[in-house]
Amino acid sequence: MTTATLLVSCPDQKGLVAKVADWLYSHNGNIIHADQHTDASAGLFLMRVEWQLAGFNLERQEIAASFQPLAAAIDAKWQLHFSDRVRRVAIFVTKQDHCLYDLILRHKSGEINSQIPLVIGNHPNLEAIAHNFGINFHHVPITAETKATQEKLQLDLLHQYQIDLVVLAKYMQVLSPQFLAAFPQVINIHHSFLPAFPGAKPYHRAYQRGVKIIGATAHYVTEDLDEGPIIEQDVIRVSHRDAVADLIRKGKDLERIVLARAVRLHLENRVLIYGQTAKSKLGLRTVVFD
Amino acid sequence: MTTATLLVSCPDQKGLVAKVADWLYSHNGNIIHADQHTDASAGLFLMRVEWQLAGFNLERQEIAASFQPLAAAIDAKWQLHFSDRVRRVAIFVTKQDHCLYDLILRHKSGEINSQIPLVIGNHPNLEAIAHNFGINFHHVPITAETKATQEKLQLDLLHQYQIDLVVLAKYMQVLSPQFLAAFPQVINIHHSFLPAFPGAKPYHRAYQRGVKIIGATAHYVTEDLDEGPIIEQDVIRVSHRDAVADLIRKGKDLERIVLARAVRLHLENRVLIYGQTAKSKLGLRTVVFD
Amino acid sequence: MTTATLLVSCPDQKGLVAKVADWLYSHNGNIIHADQHTDASAGLFLMRVEWQLAGFNLERQEIAASFQPLAAAIDAKWQLHFSDRVRRVAIFVTKQDHCLYDLILRHKSGEINSQIPLVIGNHPNLEAIAHNFGINFHHVPITAETKATQEKLQLDLLHQYQIDLVVLAKYMQVLSPQFLAAFPQVINIHHSFLPAFPGAKPYHRAYQRGVKIIGATAHYVTEDLDEGPIIEQDVIRVSHRDAVADLIRKGKDLERIVLARAVRLHLENRVLIYGQTAKSKLGLRTVVFD
Amino acid sequence: MTTATLLVSCPDQKGLVAKVADWLYSHNGNIIHADQHTDASAGLFLMRVEWQLAGFNLERQEIAASFQPLAAAIDAKWQLHFSDRVRRVAIFVTKQDHCLYDLILRHKSGEINSQIPLVIGNHPNLEAIAHNFGINFHHVPITAETKATQEKLQLDLLHQYQIDLVVLAKYMQVLSPQFLAAFPQVINIHHSFLPAFPGAKPYHRAYQRGVKIIGATAHYVTEDLDEGPIIEQDVIRVSHRDAVADLIRKGKDLERIVLARAVRLHLENRVLIYGQTAKSKLGLRTVVFD
C-alpha cells in the first residue's frame, strides 16, 4: 500500500483539523493515520496525516500544488512524503560494530524501510562488515588538522550517493557547524540518559557517580554538542555489582534499540522538531507521532 | 476551562475526521485534544475529540441534537460528556486499605476529578478511614446465602447516592451477572499481570512459578472473571530473594498506581471499549486516548 | 524474630568471609541473610550479615566486644544493629503532602519498621495531617536571616525526640553544613533523575529540554547540593503530550515510591556508603544489599 | 584471570557459609564473588562462590576430591566449573534469524564466553548465516513421522561436536522427553510473558486479549511445555496502535535480549535450579546469582 504523509506545523487557530481533513476528503483521501498536537506554551499546532494514494483523485505530482494554498492560508511549514520514495541512509562509524550490525540487520529484515548504500568510517575496522552485506565503505580518517578537508570529502560522498539521512552509529567525532549547515539531517546515539553525562566517557562517569539506572539517547545533531532535539530514550537498572565494563555491556543493548527506534520513527516521518518560538523559552524538542 | 468531549465509534469509512471536524468548526469549536484510531481487523473507526465550551455557538443542551444527524449518517455509537459534570464514584473495599487511601488522597489533591460520596465494605474495617475524609461508609456483609439480597442493597445505595462509577479497590467478592446488568460501570484492580494468574492468590502462584517480573491489571468488570477489557497494566522486577510477602509489598505499589491511572483515564473519558464485532475474533478491548 | 545485623567495610584481603562467618558460627549464629561485595577500583570489601539472636550464645551487650578484636585485625569500619531497636524518624516538610502521607501510611501498614514521633514544617500547612495520625508537628519557619537560629531549634527538637534519621519529604530548604555536621543521617528525595536537572524546578527544565523519560532520586544529603550518595532511582516515560503539570503529577508517584524504598533500605540496614578512598576517583556511592 | 566456581545446594543448617569459606581460605583462595540464598519455604541453602586459581594451593584436578568430604558432610549437590574450560554451544533454529544473529554477534564481541561450533536447522534457510561466521550448519528436517529418527540424528551431532548447551533460538519444534532425557541442558526463548500465553501464537493472542504490555521469557526446557524453570524475563509497553505485526517487531528485541541474558548467566554458572522438594509445593525455579 503506497501512502502519502503530510507533516504540518503552524500557529494554533480554530478549524485546522477541519481544513486539512476537508482538503483530503474533497480529493477522496482514505486516511490511514492521523494525529495532531497543540503545544499551548509554544502556541503551535502540529499534525501528521497519512493516506492511501490508491483512490486519491490527485496525481502525486499535483498534491503539493493543491495543498499549497491551504498551507499559505494557515501559515504552515509542511513536508510531503511518499512511502515508495525510499530514503537513502549513510552510516558513520569508528570502531564499535554493534550499532552498525543492528541497523544493517533491521534493514535486511524489513524493519527499517530505507536503502543503505554507504558506510563511512574514520577508522577502517568495519570495512569487512559493510562489504559482507554489499554496502560500499569509505575510509575517511580525520585529525584536527585535516577535519575541514575530510568533512568536505564526506559531504561529496553524501552528494554522490544521494544520501537523505546520516546516522552516527557510535561515530567518535564531532561534526562541525559547516558540515551541519551543508547536511543537517543527522541522527546520533549518545550513551547516556541526556542531559545527564553529556560529552565523553558517560559510562565511566555514571559509575563514579554511583547512579542506579543508566540510559541512552537518540537525538538530531545540532551545533550544540549533545543538546539536539531528543527523539527517543531508554534506560536499564544497574547496581553496585556492575563495574564499568558491565555498564558498557548493558548500555550497548540500549544504544542499539534506542538508535534503531529513532531511525525508524524518522524514516516513517513520525518526528517533527519544534521549539524556540518568540512565545516560548523551549529548547528544540520533538513531537513523535507514534 | 469547561470542555465537552465526544467519544465516537463507527464502521470505518472515508471522510469521518472531516465530517466531525467540520461539524465542530461550523459551530466555532476550539479543539483542545483530538485523537482517532482505526482498527483494521475490526473494521472500526474510534475517535475522541474535546473542545472548549466558551465560544462554541451551541448551548450545551443543543449539542446532542445537533450532532445526532451526523451520528446517524455514519452509523456511530457515541457519548457526550461535559467536564463540569463531575462524576460520582463509589469505592468497594474489604480489609486492605492501600487502594482506598490512594484514591481518596489523589481525589483530595485534585488529581482525580470526581466526587467520592460513598464507600461500601463487606467488612467494617475501613469505616474510620472513610469517615476521616468525610465519606459515608456502609457495611454490607456478604455470604453465599445473602449475596442476592445484599447486592440488591448495594444497588439501592448506588442509586440513592447517584453513583456513576464503582471502583473495586481490593474488594474480595465477585459481582454477580445480575449486579453487572443493573450497574455495568465497574473498574477492578487484579493483582497480577493478566492473563497470567487469574483468580485467587496470584502472588502465591507467581512465587511458586518463579517468575522474574510481577504485575497488576486494571480492567472493566464483565461476567467473565478477570476477562474484562484491560485499561492499564504495569510491572516490577522480582528475584529469588523476594518471598511471597515481598511480592505482596511490591505489588501494592503497582495496584495503587495502575488502579489510579485507570480511574483517571475513565473519568477523563479517554477509554473506549470495543471488539467482538462480526468481522473480528477480538476479545473486548480498549482504546486509551492518552 | 529478633535479629542482629553487622555492616562491615575494610580493605580487601583474603579470608574475610571465612573470618566473619567463623566468628558467627563459633557463637552458634544462624545466618538469615549474608551478602558481600568487593569494589576492585576502591580496593574495598563490604559485607552485610544478619543472624537470629535466638540461639546465639552471646548476650546482645557482649556482641560488640566480642567482634571488636576481629574488626581491628581486618582494619574494618563496622556498625551493629538490632532489629528490635526501632529507629525514630523525623520528617521535614514544606507544603506538599504526598510524600508525608506515603511515609505515614507505609509506617502504619508495617511496611516501614520505625517510629515517627515528629514532623517539622517550615510552613504550617501539614500540621493537621500529622495530628490526624497522632504525630507531633512543629512549625519552624526559616528565612535567610533566621536560618542559623532556626536550624539550631530543629537540632534541639531532633535531640529532644531522640531522632535517628531525618527524611526530607519535599522539604524546600537546603540544610547548612553546620546542621549536617551536627546531624548527618538525612535522606532527601530529588525530583529528577540525578545528575540530570540538579537544583530548582527540574520538571520545568525537563519539559523545556524535551526529554522522553523523567525520574526521581533518593540520596543521602551532603554539603554538596544534590551530590550525595544515591540510594535509589526510578523513571517513567513521558511524551510531547505531557505538559509540565503532567510531569509533576507523574513524578509524584516516582517521588513517593523512590523515597519510601530508600527509607526502608536504610532502616533495614541494607545501605553502606563508600568511595573517595586514596586509591580511587570515585564519588561517594552506595552498596545496597537488597 | 582464571577462576573456579562452586555451585552448592543443600538442606539449610548452621555454619554453611563458614564451612565453605573456611575450606577456601585454608587453601589460600581469593574469593572474587560469593553469594548465597536461603529459601525458607523449601528449607534449602544455595550458594555460588568464585575464586582465583592463581595462588590457590590445590591443583585444579585436586579440588573436587578436596571438597568432596565437606559436600558429603552437609549433604550437598554441587558443581565445579573452571572459567578456561569454554563451553560448546549448539544453536537450534527454524527460519527466523534475529536470535541466531544476536547470539553469534555477542559471541564475536566477547560478551558470551563460549564456542559455537554448530547450528542445526529443521529448515535450511539460515545456513548461509552460519557459514558466514565459520559455523557448521546441519539441516535436520523433522516431521511427525520422522521425529524419533531425526532427534537421534540431532543427539549424534551434539555428541560428535561435544556440545555442552543447546539454545533454542526460535526453534519451532517441541523436543521429546527422550531427547531431553539424553540431553537435558537446553535453554528456550518463549515469546510471551509466561505463564501468560503459553503455546502457539502468543503475539496474536496478546493482541486479541488487548494487553498493554508484552514480554518474553527464557527458561530451561522440561517435558512440560513452557513450564520449565524461568531464567529471565522482560517486557515492553504496547498500545491499541500496535497491530500484531508491531507486537512481533517489538517482541523481537525482547526475545534477543532476554535469551542472550539467560545464555550468559548460564555460561557464567550463575543459575541454580531448585524446587519440588518434599517440604514445598514449589515448581521448578531458579536462583540467579547476578
Side-chain angles (χ1 to χ4, degrees), chain C:
Chain C
M1 178 175 68
T2 309
T3 64
T5 299
L6 265 174
L7 286 170
V8 179
S9 65
C10 64
D12 192 26
Q13 56 201 282
K14 282 182 189 174
L16 291 168
V17 176
K19 285 170 182 165
V20 176
D22 277 348
W23 173 77
L24 275 167
Y25 186 44
S26 71
H27 295 292
N28 204 35
N30 191 25
I31 295 176
I32 300 304
H33 174 265
D35 199 0
Q36 53 277 330
H37 176 62
T38 305
D39 188 311
S41 67
L44 269 183
F45 173 85
L46 306 110
M47 185 177 195
R48 180 189 190 274
V49 60
E50 180 176 5
W51 70 96
Q52 280 184 280
L53 281 184
F56 199 56
N57 67 18
L58 292 173
E59 296 299 310
R60 80 169 65 191
Q61 65 276 16
E62 300 170 331
I63 295 176
S66 169
F67 184 68
Q68 174 58 39
L70 172 50
I74 61 177
D75 194 17
K77 288 186 231 173
W78 56 287
Q79 312 163 27
L80 176 64
H81 299 280
F82 298 105
S83 64
D84 57 1
R85 158 72 177 88
V86 178
R87 243 75 62 83
R88 295 170 66 82
V89 175
I91 303 175
F92 282 30
V93 298
T94 297
K95 293 178 179 173
Q96 288 185 279
D97 65 10
H98 59 287
C99 286
L100 175 63
Y101 259 124
D102 190 75
L103 291 168
I104 291 174
L105 292 175
R106 288 180 200 268
H107 168 259
K108 190 165 164 279
S109 75
E111 197 178 309
I112 291 177
N113 179 29
S114 68
Q115 296 177 323
I116 306 180
L118 173 65
V119 174
I120 294 179
N122 62 324
H123 287 268
N125 307 48
L126 307 186
E127 179 164 11
I129 296 171
H131 287 171
N132 193 22
F133 290 93
I135 304 173
N136 286 355
F137 182 93
H138 289 264
H139 176 210
V140 184
I142 292 198
T143 63
E145 292 72 33
T146 64
K147 182 153 188 162
T149 328
Q150 295 299 76
E151 282 198 343
K152 186 135 194 341
L153 176 52
Q154 290 175 333
L155 288 168
D156 288 345
L157 286 165
L158 299 182
H159 183 73
Q160 173 190 333
Y161 281 87
Q162 298 177 277
I163 297 300
D164 297 292
L165 174 71
V166 166
V167 178
L168 307 185
K170 306 293 290 176
Y171 178 65
M172 296 289 131
Q173 291 283 329
V174 177
L175 300 179
S176 72
Q178 291 73 31
F179 183 101
L180 291 169
F183 194 97
Q185 291 277 63
V186 184
I187 293 175
N188 183 44
I189 181 72
H190 183 79
H191 42 312
S192 85
F193 181 77
L194 288 173
F197 309 119
K201 290 198 170 290
Y203 292 129
H204 290 77
R205 287 150 62 210
Y207 180 79
Q208 285 162 19
R209 180 64 185 92
V211 295
K212 302 301 186 187
I213 292 177
I214 58 169
T217 305
H219 62 93
Y220 289 109
V221 178
T222 61
E223 291 191 24
D224 302 311
L225 187 64
D226 298 332
E227 292 285 331
I230 294 170
I231 307 169
E232 171 67 346
Q233 301 185 292
D234 212 340
V235 295
I236 190 169
R237 291 190 84 83
V238 296
S239 81
H240 60 273
R241 293 199 185 279
D242 291 300
V244 171
D246 298 302
L247 302 194
I248 291 171
R249 172 177 52 81
K250 289 186 169 183
K252 280 167 64 177
D253 277 336
L254 289 179
E255 295 166 19
R256 265 190 278 253
I257 285 175
V258 169
L259 180 58
R261 284 186 198 147
V263 169
R264 188 172 188 274
L265 289 165
H266 175 89
L267 291 173
E268 292 186 347
N269 309 301
R270 295 184 181 277
V271 190
L272 255 177
I273 302 174
Y274 75 101
Q276 294 180 325
T277 67
K279 275 184 71 174
S280 78
K281 293 193 308 181
L282 293 175
L284 281 177
R285 59 209 308 275
T286 62
V287 169
V288 177
F289 293 116
D290 58 354

Side-chain angles (χ1 to χ4, degrees), chain C residues 14-15 18 22 25 28 34 36, chain D residues 14-15 18-19 22 25 28 34 36:
Chain C
K14 282 182 189 174
D22 277 348
Y25 186 44
N28 204 35
Q36 53 277 330
Chain D
K14 282 183 190 173
K19 285 169 182 166
D22 276 347
Y25 186 45
N28 202 37
Q36 53 277 329

Side-chain angles (χ1 to χ4, degrees), chain D residues 89-216:
Chain D
V89 175
I91 303 175
F92 281 30
V93 298
T94 297
K95 293 178 179 173
Q96 287 185 279
D97 64 10
H98 58 286
C99 286
L100 175 63
Y101 259 126
D102 190 75
L103 291 168
I104 291 174
L105 293 176
R106 288 181 199 268
H107 169 258
K108 191 165 164 279
S109 74
E111 198 178 309
I112 291 177
N113 179 29
S114 68
Q115 295 177 323
I116 306 181
L118 174 63
V119 174
I120 293 179
N122 62 325
H123 287 269
N125 306 47
L126 306 186
E127 179 163 12
I129 296 172
H131 287 171
N132 193 20
F133 291 93
I135 304 172
N136 285 356
F137 181 93
H138 288 264
H139 176 211
V140 185
I142 292 197
T143 64
E145 293 72 33
T146 65
K147 183 153 187 161
T149 328
Q150 297 298 77
E151 282 197 344
K152 185 134 194 346
L153 176 52
Q154 290 174 334
L155 288 167
D156 289 345
L157 287 166
L158 299 183
H159 183 72
Q160 172 191 333
Y161 282 86
Q162 299 176 275
I163 297 300
D164 299 291
L165 175 71
V166 166
V167 178
L168 306 185
K170 306 294 289 175
Y171 179 65
M172 295 289 131
Q173 291 283 328
V174 176
L175 300 178
S176 72
Q178 292 73 32
F179 183 102
L180 291 169
F183 194 97
Q185 292 275 60
V186 184
I187 293 175
N188 183 43
I189 181 72
H190 183 79
H191 41 314
S192 84
F193 181 77
L194 288 173
F197 309 120
K201 290 199 172 288
Y203 292 129
H204 291 77
R205 288 149 63 209
Y207 179 79
Q208 284 161 21
R209 180 63 185 93
V211 295
K212 302 301 186 188
I213 291 176
I214 59 169

Side-chain angles (χ1 to χ4, degrees), chain D residues 6-23:
Chain D
L6 265 174
L7 286 170
V8 179
S9 64
C10 64
D12 192 26
Q13 56 200 280
K14 282 183 190 173
L16 291 168
V17 175
K19 285 169 182 166
V20 175
D22 276 347
W23 173 78

Side-chain angles (χ1 to χ4, degrees), chain B residues 86-87 140 153 155 188 192 206 243 271 278:
Chain B
V86 177
R87 244 74 61 85
V140 185
L153 177 52
L155 288 167
N188 183 44
S192 85
V271 190

